[in-house]
């Protein structure tokens, strides 16, 4: 959940904060120490403030030490604030 400290557009989280959360989530989901080489995020709609955000991540594929990790976030905007 993002609060007003993370506000970008009025009533919504700043995209950089959303990217930071994904960088941390995807890094932890690969279960080993490593660094993000590329982080690509497709913003489908703004992330609302004060709403529950459900995140998931998984290793999509591996090639030696290299891993491709994917993740999603979902928000039920109809839930109360």
């Amino acid at each position: 959940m993002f609060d007003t400290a993370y506000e970008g557009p009025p009533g919504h989280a700043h995209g950089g904060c959303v990217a930071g959360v994904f960088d941390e989530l995807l890094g932890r989901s690969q279960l080993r120490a490593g660094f993000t080489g590329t982080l690509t995020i497709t913003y489908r709609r703004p992330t609302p403030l004060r709403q529950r955000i459900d995140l998931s991540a998984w290793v999509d594929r591996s090639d030696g030490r290299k891993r491709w990790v994917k993740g999603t976030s979902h928000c039920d905007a109809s839930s109360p604030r």
Side-chain angles (χ1 to χ4, degrees):
M1 178 182 314
F2 292 100
D3 206 345
T4 55
Y6 305 100
E7 188 169 27
H12 297 91
H14 189 285
C17 296
V18 174
V21 167
F22 268 103
D23 186 37
E24 187 68 22
L25 172 71
L26 298 174
R28 290 177 183 263
S29 69
Q30 64 178 328
L31 300 175
R32 68 181 184 104
F35 298 97
T36 301
T38 302
L39 178 65
T40 303
I41 297 177
T42 302
Y43 296 95
R44 298 186 188 273
R45 60 184 62 87
T47 303
L49 297 177
R50 298 190 241 22
Q51 298 285 331
R52 176 183 162 156
I53 309 294
D54 294 314
L55 302 162
S56 62
W58 62 95
V59 175
D60 186 54
R61 63 188 163 114
S62 297
D63 181 12
R65 293 177 38 195
K66 191 171 184 178
R67 293 184 182 189
W68 287 262
V69 184
K70 293 188 176 184
T72 61
S73 69
H74 299 277
C75 174
D76 181 6
S78 65
S79 65
R81 290 182 177 213

